[in-house]
Amino acid sequence: MHVLEIDNLVKHFPRGGLFGGEKNPVRAVDGVSLALGRGETLGIVGESGSGKSTVGLLSLGLIPKTSGTILFMGKPVDEFEGKELILFRRKAQIVFQNPFASLNPRMIIRDIIGRVLEIHDIVPKSQIAGKVGALLQEVGLRGDQASRYPHEFSGGQRQRIAVARALASGPEFIILDEPTSALDVSVQAQILNLLGDLQQARGHAYIFISHNLAVIRHVSHRVAVMYLGKLMETAPKEAIFSRPVHPYTRALLASVPKPFVTDEDIESKVIAGDIPSPTNPPSGCRFHTRCSFCIGVCEEAEPAWREVAPKHFVACHRAEEWI
């Protein structure tokens, strides 16, 4: 059984118009289907505005879906009530992008992490201080640092604290929403290695959301590529990085900066145009307005989501040409 299953998930944000009318909604997520196995890391990658973070928030039930199904351990998340909802909140956690904003500046670290232990009744109150110290040590900090405030820590240390808070409830899966993008490169590597070690030790699953393909390659077992609310391609990590099929995936990989390239090389790898508005997405394939391989059918018909190789799915009319 998968830890998390998402089927045909849709999220449209309504917008109010002038004089009380309604404008076209923001189509943030439009028919996304994904599954997350135990101990697995699913990387979700795409440009800003592709719907990655919205999928994460929907998975946790933090915002209501428009339609579709989200299952946790085979049960619909939106039907959880009472004890079931409390258990889900315990088993599903998130680490946010900005460690400078995700920790309460008025609380010491012992209270920030201890609050989770208290709410979910993880340990008796008399043992909370000891448990907090153990969690801090597990993420590479000292237990005696629990009496400090967030501003007394560096960005990397704050993100370690955020990870410790997520671990406190013993989760089955954790949403990691750009957890290293606000950190120095050397600190990013430390946090990524820490997350890998914790996953090996505890066996929980991650959904790792990022626009950084190098990070996605380092941490993921499978990769999902999103564009303008739609899935373009999903496959095991090795297939995505060695045999990408969708033109958007290929363009993203070609856009990764490399040392010792000329200005002409850089210019040739840039994806043409801007991402269209999610309030009025293009007809047919949503990427066709920026795709150099676009043909007539791409503008008229939405490509079918199909398996083109074992565990390799893509939505592109010309996918077979690149297999």
Side-chain angles (χ1 to χ4, degrees):
M1 180 184 296
H2 290 105
V3 175
L4 187 73
E5 293 179 79
I6 297 171
D7 183 46
N8 199 27
L9 185 61
V10 174
K11 178 58 182 179
H12 294 171
F13 291 97
R15 299 190 305 151
L18 194 62
F19 306 118
E22 289 190 4
K23 297 182 179 180
N24 291 337
V26 176
R27 303 168 72 95
V29 177
D30 238 352
V32 169
S33 297
L34 293 168
L36 181 67
R38 289 182 180 274
E40 179 185 40
T41 298
L42 172 65
I44 303 182
V45 67
E47 294 173 279
S48 296
S50 61
K52 308 183 300 296
S53 295
T54 305
V55 169
L57 295 176
L58 288 165
S59 301
L60 294 170
L62 295 179
I63 55 176
K65 60 183 174 62
T66 301
S67 62
T69 305
I70 306 169
L71 302 179
F72 173 69
M73 306 300 286
K75 297 181 179 180
V77 169
D78 54 354
E79 294 181 9
F80 289 157
E81 294 181 352
K83 291 182 178 180
E84 277 192 324
L85 180 58
I86 293 172
L87 179 61
F88 174 68
R89 292 286 178 232
R90 176 177 174 176
K91 294 299 181 181
Q93 291 291 317
I94 185 169
V95 175
F96 293 100
Q97 176 178 359
N98 187 357
F100 297 93
S102 62
L103 302 177
N104 190 330
R106 297 185 178 185
M107 296 175 67
I108 63 173
I109 305 308
R110 183 181 297 111
D111 293 339
I112 289 174
I113 300 174
R115 183 73 172 153
V116 179
L117 301 171
E118 183 179 354
I119 288 174
H120 293 290
D121 197 23
I122 307 297
V123 296
K125 286 189 176 182
S126 60
Q127 299 178 20
I128 286 178
K131 181 64 175 177
V132 170
L135 285 165
L136 290 177
Q137 290 177 354
E138 191 173 3
V139 299
L141 298 174
R142 300 194 316 273
D144 61 10
Q145 292 177 302
S147 59
R148 299 183 183 180
Y149 287 90
H151 73 268
E152 299 180 73
F153 294 89
S154 67
Q157 289 175 323
R158 291 190 200 192
Q159 202 62 300
R160 289 175 185 269
I161 293 166
V163 171
R165 178 176 59 183
L167 294 175
S169 63
E172 290 285 347
F173 76 95
I174 303 175
I175 304 292
L176 300 166
D177 190 2
E178 301 269 14
T180 60
S181 63
L183 307 177
D184 293 337
V185 174
S186 60
V187 179
Q188 287 185 26
Q190 295 172 16
I191 297 299
L192 293 176
N193 290 335
L194 169 67
L195 291 170
D197 292 342
L198 290 170
Q199 186 179 53
Q200 268 197 325
R202 288 174 168 253
H204 52 243
Y206 294 135
I207 291 181
F208 198 108
I209 298 166
S210 180
H211 64 274
N212 189 325
L213 285 163
V215 169
I216 290 292
R217 186 171 191 170
H218 181 73
V219 303
S220 301
H221 298 104
R222 286 188 303 119
V223 179
V225 181
M226 287 190 67
Y227 180 79
L228 205 60
K230 288 277 189 181
L231 280 177
M232 299 289 105
E233 187 169 3
T234 67
K237 175 181 65 176
E238 294 79 10
I240 286 288
F241 285 94
S242 63
R243 299 183 304 279
V245 173
H246 199 285
Y248 180 59
T249 308
R250 293 154 61 92
L252 285 179
L253 291 170
S255 299
V256 176
K258 299 177 179 65
F260 312 115
V261 295
T262 65
D263 291 342
E264 183 179 348
D265 292 331
I266 295 174
E267 185 66 27
S268 67
K269 293 174 182 178
V270 175
I271 304 174
D274 297 321
I275 189 168
S277 169
T279 63
N280 188 27
S283 59
C285 174
R286 294 198 175 180
F287 186 58
H288 85 258
T289 58
R290 305 171 70 193
C291 181
S292 56
F293 301 97
C294 175
I295 55 177
V297 68
C298 302
E299 302 177 16
E300 300 167 2
E302 185 173 334
W305 181 253
R306 62 194 188 280
E307 189 173 19
V308 294
K311 300 181 181 180
H312 195 150
F313 294 83
V314 68
C316 177
H317 292 293
R318 303 181 63 181
E320 283 74 15
E321 298 179 30
W322 294 291
I323 297 175

